[in-house]
Amino acid sequence: MKKHFYILYVLLIGVVLPVLAQDVSLYQQFNGRYDYTAIGNTMNTVENGTLGPCTILTSSSSNLSLNSDQTIVAAYLYWAGTHTGDFNISLNNIDITAERTFSDAIDSDRVFFAAFADVTSIIIDQGNTEYTVSNFDLTDVITPYCSTGTNFGGWAITVIYEDDNLPLNQLNVYDGLQSVPNNLSITLDNLNVLDNENAKIGFVAWEGDRFIAVNEQLTINGNVISNYPLNPANNAFNGTNSFTGATNLYNMDIDVYNIQNNIAIGDTSATIALTSGQDFVMINNIITVLNSQLPDATITIDDDIVSCGDTSIEIFYTVYNSNSTDVLPANTPIAFYAYGEFIGTSETATDIPINGSESNSVYLNLPENSEPNITITVVVDDDGTMNGIVTETNENNNSAFSEIELQIIPEIVVLPHLVGCNEGFETASYNLYEALQALNLNEEDITFYLSLEDLENISHSISIPSNYNNIFNPETIYVRVERDPCYEIYQFNLTIENCPPYIPQGFSPNADTKNDWFNIQNLFDIFTNHELHIFNRYGDLIFVGNNEKPWDGSINRGLNNNGEIVPVGTYYYILNLNDPNYKPFVGWVYVNY
């Protein structure tokens, strides 16, 4: 409900009409190993509001799922909505008539109802299943409420169960129908607080708006309570169910809060206060659960995974709640120490029942200068400062330790260079495995990389090591060789030498575009300063060529230096590469047409 409509009405009529609400008071009390859960659902299709659709469902469903050792002792159905009331509905096709009714109003045009029925026999009979409330029809009465965003309908079932694994609890069920804005104070009496450990309070409330949080605050005994992230301290009633984690219960709430720090041993009452600067909220049902029992947390280190050459380790552990009389709550902190220094934290993920346990793992970063053998100490119920947050039956059995052996990578082994043949532009093709031939390794254990970072991250490996073309000259190649359970690193350089030329035994300068010149391969791109001398069979120099002038069979030296083509025959050549690594090449080439 948007507060400005309420203020506008007061200004128009000058007075506030009487409120029809009924005070929330104790309905039933259970003493023993009891706790409760709640299910329910909204009839709204979306959050109500002036711009939303003016529609409402006539049925909706929710699932009940109790553990096998939880025995149902009571189940109470509450339903509520817009207008004066629909008090005859169905639950799983069983007709339900309201045994008690409640009413509230903002003004004469905006009145609301709530209803109650004991459905214990139905819930015991059907047990864990889907429950559907149907024949709950507000279709014909919601239209006048839509323009002010007060159209709503919903239902909830609170299920009280007995479990021999629970501590001795006092469970009180209160109900009525009281509302805000602006301020609401409810005193809950008939309490008997023997121990406040894990004390909790739950609510069934109607018409809360998720997107309205103006000065909205819920307190108990003057202390603000919240259940983040479902119920922030500034928006307690926002369409959620704390038991199921649902966040789409439009304009209704099934919430539960831990209040152990807000109620004291010996208390016989507690004061609930709700303030709201705009949101209109009606409280229909309140349940308190108080106990006098305590958990007892212990822990073991079960295993570890050590990354090769890495000071990051994964620790597997189990938290136990043995020899206890209460559950160990979720989010109980767990601290890890090495060399007496705090190195990491975790927490329990769920409530651990009596004699129950929970296994999990955590990643820890050890100091960079850690020794190969290190002792890890783990302490449950430790916030990292050697202080706990959970009161236990035994505060001296929370730790365990384990010796961890780190996997150290050996020093990098430098291998001889792998020399390639220059194929032009200082590149060559390499079979990288040849650099490792002397090591007698399995190729499936070997990967090659261009950087240590890629090697360590096992990323961007060289895809075809048997046919690799270098990028730089020289170029460093890093090799990762997998070992059990670690790996070794090798490195070698790729260097390039000029390839010797391939000299053909003949050619045919007949202008047929095939083999028309003395095509000495790897010559013109690599040995650019070469000189070629051609002699006839009499020893006369007839041609001198270089990188700009290959021999095409013509004569450019001697008495017949007129560019004529030499006749068929064998000619002697001297090829001087002008490279200090090679002597001149000499031989015969046959010219034929």
Side-chain angles (χ1 to χ4, degrees), residues 412-479:
I412 297 177
V413 177
V414 180
L415 300 174
H417 299 338
L418 199 60
V419 180
C421 178
N422 188 3
E423 298 174 354
F425 306 102
E426 294 190 334
T427 63
S429 294
Y430 298 86
N431 181 353
L432 301 182
Y433 294 110
E434 292 179 355
L436 307 172
Q437 285 180 343
L439 301 178
N440 192 26
L441 302 172
N442 295 322
E443 287 189 5
E444 56 267 23
D445 296 331
I446 303 170
T447 46
F448 299 86
Y449 301 87
L450 296 178
S451 71
L452 274 175
E453 181 180 3
D454 285 345
L455 182 148
E456 293 167 355
N457 295 328
I458 316 180
S459 62
H460 307 104
S461 62
I462 295 174
S463 58
I464 308 178
S466 60
N467 184 21
Y468 173 73
N469 290 326
N470 65 298
I471 301 174
F472 304 102
N473 182 29
E475 187 171 71
T476 301
I477 300 296
Y478 298 92
V479 188

Side-chain angles (χ1 to χ4, degrees), residues 509-527:
N510 57 9
D512 66 353
T513 71
K514 299 179 180 179
N515 201 27
D516 281 339
W517 56 289
F518 192 18
N519 183 11
I520 303 175
Q521 296 180 18
N522 296 333
L523 182 64
F524 293 92
D525 292 331
I526 299 174
F527 301 98

Side-chain angles (χ1 to χ4, degrees), residues 5 18 74 76 109 181 384 390 413 488 557 565 577:
F5 289 110
Y76 303 139
D109 294 323
V390 178
V413 177
E488 299 171 346
R557 290 291 187 276
I565 303 298
L577 299 178

Side-chain angles (χ1 to χ4, degrees), residues 251-329:
N251 304 107
M252 64 170 288
D253 283 86
I254 303 174
D255 298 326
V256 65
Y257 299 84
N258 183 291
I259 57 170
Q260 72 175 48
N261 295 323
N262 309 113
I263 196 166
I265 296 173
D267 282 355
T268 58
S269 65
T271 300
I272 308 298
L274 173 63
T275 61
S276 175
Q278 185 172 346
D279 200 1
F280 179 72
V281 178
M282 293 180 288
I283 304 296
N284 193 186
N285 166 261
I286 300 176
I287 293 182
T288 60
V289 182
L290 309 171
N291 71 76
S292 59
Q293 309 301 303
L294 295 173
D296 185 35
T298 59
I299 193 167
T300 60
I301 296 177
D302 305 320
D303 202 357
D304 62 81
I305 294 179
V306 179
S307 300
C308 184
D310 194 355
T311 54
S312 175
I313 63 175
E314 184 177 11
I315 297 293
F316 295 84
Y317 61 88
T318 299
V319 177
Y320 298 88
N321 187 27
S322 304
N323 301 317
S324 60
T325 55
D326 194 12
V327 296
L328 181 68

Side-chain angles (χ1 to χ4, degrees), residues 312-379:
S312 175
I313 63 175
E314 184 177 11
I315 297 293
F316 295 84
Y317 61 88
T318 299
V319 177
Y320 298 88
N321 187 27
S322 304
N323 301 317
S324 60
T325 55
D326 194 12
V327 296
L328 181 68
N331 305 317
T332 297
I334 304 166
F336 296 84
Y337 299 87
Y339 306 110
E341 296 180 1
F342 174 71
I343 58 171
T345 187
S346 183
E347 60 183 16
T348 56
T350 60
D351 289 348
I352 301 177
I354 297 170
N355 295 321
S357 64
E358 175 187 287
S359 297
N360 211 328
S361 68
V362 64
Y363 287 92
L364 302 173
N365 292 314
L366 301 177
E368 291 292 334
N369 59 349
S370 296
E371 297 294 328
N373 295 306
I374 186 171
T375 301
I376 300 296
T377 301
V378 55
V379 185

Side-chain angles (χ1 to χ4, degrees), residues 9 19 33 49 59 111 290 358 375 412 447 471 490 495 535 545:
Y9 186 82
V19 175
R33 300 187 184 280
S59 69
V111 297
L290 309 171
E358 175 187 287
T375 301
I412 297 177
T447 46
I471 301 174
Y490 297 83
T495 59
F535 300 86

Side-chain angles (χ1 to χ4, degrees), residues 142-203:
I142 65 165
T143 300
Y145 294 82
C146 294
S147 62
T148 57
T150 55
N151 50 302
F152 85 95
W155 61 274
I157 301 176
T158 59
V159 180
I160 294 90
Y161 58 83
E162 185 176 21
D163 187 340
D164 289 339
N165 297 314
L166 289 172
L168 294 171
N169 287 332
Q170 179 196 77
L171 189 152
N172 288 340
V173 179
Y174 304 83
D175 60 22
L177 196 63
Q178 292 182 258
S179 61
V180 291
N182 296 319
N183 299 283
L184 172 64
S185 180
I186 301 173
T187 298
L188 305 179
D189 53 13
N190 294 96
L191 299 180
N192 183 18
V193 183
L194 301 178
D195 193 318
N196 62 357
E197 187 71 13
N198 289 329
K200 62 183 177 182
I201 188 169
F203 299 84

